[in-house]
Amino acid sequence: AQTVTQSQPEMSVQEAETVTLSCTYDTSENNYYLFWYKQPPSRQMILVIRQEAYKQQNATENRFSVNFQKAAKSFSLKISDSQLGDTAMYFCAFNPPNNNDMRFGAGTRLTVKP
Amino acid sequence: DAGVTQSPTHLIKTRGQQVTLRCSPKSGHDTVSWYQQALGQGPQFIFQYYEEEERQRGNFPDRFSGHQFPNYSSELNVNALLLGDSALYLCASSSGQDTDTQYFGPGTRLTVL
């Protein structure tokens, strides 16, 4: 069974600082996709960043970057220059190709403090 | 460019009743997936619709059913509601050319009393 684990239920960071959210997953698949989604109090699940497992290069989207370690089955999210608007629940998700039963972790609640 | 929309925003029902939730996909998307998100948990996959047929289904009972219309919009129906069905129901859409990346709507909060 494919599972996603987020071991940090809550984290906080000072505005303008850097924070890293952890995610590990379990799968026997070789090709798959990994995602980080952000869910603010408004409830809308927003795609933050996506990584294809066959790509060795870590994905980057502005202040958001990932550290993808395929052998270790680890997929952490780094947020640089944290902003108050980054306060939200962050979910790590796993999706094998052609199988749309996307699996989510339990989430990490991130608070950015002024 | 309109994103994924869902209606209603909130809904209150009593046990045993039936409910229908609606979703319109993002412009250009033809695939709709439904998720249930219980309080304090990550979303769980219910099912996915493509070309008006259920393409894949998660571990949910037959009380949960759906439909996709020719314009790609979708409905989620839940019969014989239980207290445990109280949750945020999320709809996500994707393109047939990139089904692995899903974009979510704002959700419908269902409360079963």
Side-chain angles (χ1 to χ4, degrees):
Chain A
Q2 291 134 350
T3 59
V4 179
T5 302
Q6 293 180 250
S7 59
Q8 305 152 316
E10 294 189 25
M11 293 192 72
S12 64
V13 62
Q14 291 296 131
E15 193 175 9
E17 293 188 345
T18 296
V19 65
T20 298
L21 309 183
S22 300
C23 173
T24 58
Y25 57 93
D26 183 27
T27 183
S28 58
E29 301 279 350
N30 188 47
N31 293 321
Y32 45 87
Y33 299 86
L34 295 162
F35 305 88
W36 279 97
Y37 283 90
K38 165 187 176 182
Q39 189 176 40
S42 66
R43 306 178 329 201
Q44 181 103 35
M45 192 80 76
I46 301 165
L47 178 65
V48 174
I49 201 164
R50 155 190 160 137
Q51 174 81 43
E52 293 96 333
Y54 63 86
K55 290 186 177 180
Q56 293 185 341
Q57 186 174 5
N58 289 325
T60 299
E61 288 288 344
N62 301 314
R63 299 182 295 107
F64 299 88
S65 61
V66 298
N67 182 4
F68 173 48
Q69 301 290 329
K70 190 173 183 179
K73 298 180 182 176
S74 170
F75 183 60
S76 61
L77 174 69
K78 186 173 81 171
I79 306 174
S80 303
D81 186 24
S82 296
Q83 300 176 359
L84 297 178
D86 295 335
T87 292
M89 284 290 290
Y90 286 81
F91 291 96
C92 177
F94 167 95
N95 197 20
N98 302 317
N99 179 345
N100 297 288
D101 181 359
M102 189 155 59
R103 303 298 176 96
F104 286 81
T108 295
R109 183 177 301 281
L110 176 67
T111 301
V112 180
K113 298 179 178 179
Chain B
D1 179 21
V4 180
T5 61
Q6 292 186 242
S7 64
T9 304
H10 296 90
L11 204 52
I12 299 175
K13 293 286 188 178
T14 57
R15 282 177 296 175
Q17 286 190 311
Q18 178 264 345
V19 68
T20 298
L21 310 182
R22 296 176 176 81
C23 171
S24 291
K26 182 179 169 69
S27 178
H29 285 182
D30 55 10
T31 303
V32 173
S33 302
W34 286 92
Y35 291 82
Q36 180 194 68
Q37 186 179 18
L39 196 62
Q41 297 181 23
Q44 288 196 317
F45 176 74
I46 302 174
F47 43 53
Q48 183 181 85
Y49 276 84
Y50 174 68
E51 292 188 342
E52 302 180 49
E53 291 191 359
E54 184 182 290
R55 179 157 72 174
Q56 192 165 347
R57 188 180 183 92
N59 189 25
F60 278 80
D62 292 344
R63 298 187 297 109
F64 290 78
S65 63
H67 188 76
Q68 185 178 34
F69 299 93
N71 67 352
Y72 309 123
S73 67
S74 177
E75 290 181 348
L76 164 65
N77 301 292
V78 187
N79 295 322
L81 284 167
L82 304 174
L83 296 179
D85 295 332
S86 295
L88 180 66
Y89 288 85
L90 296 166
C91 168
S93 74
S94 53
S95 165
Q97 295 180 347
D98 182 19
T99 58
D100 299 292
T101 301
Q102 299 182 18
Y103 296 86
F104 285 81
T108 294
R109 171 72 66 189
L110 172 65
T111 301
V112 182
L113 302 177

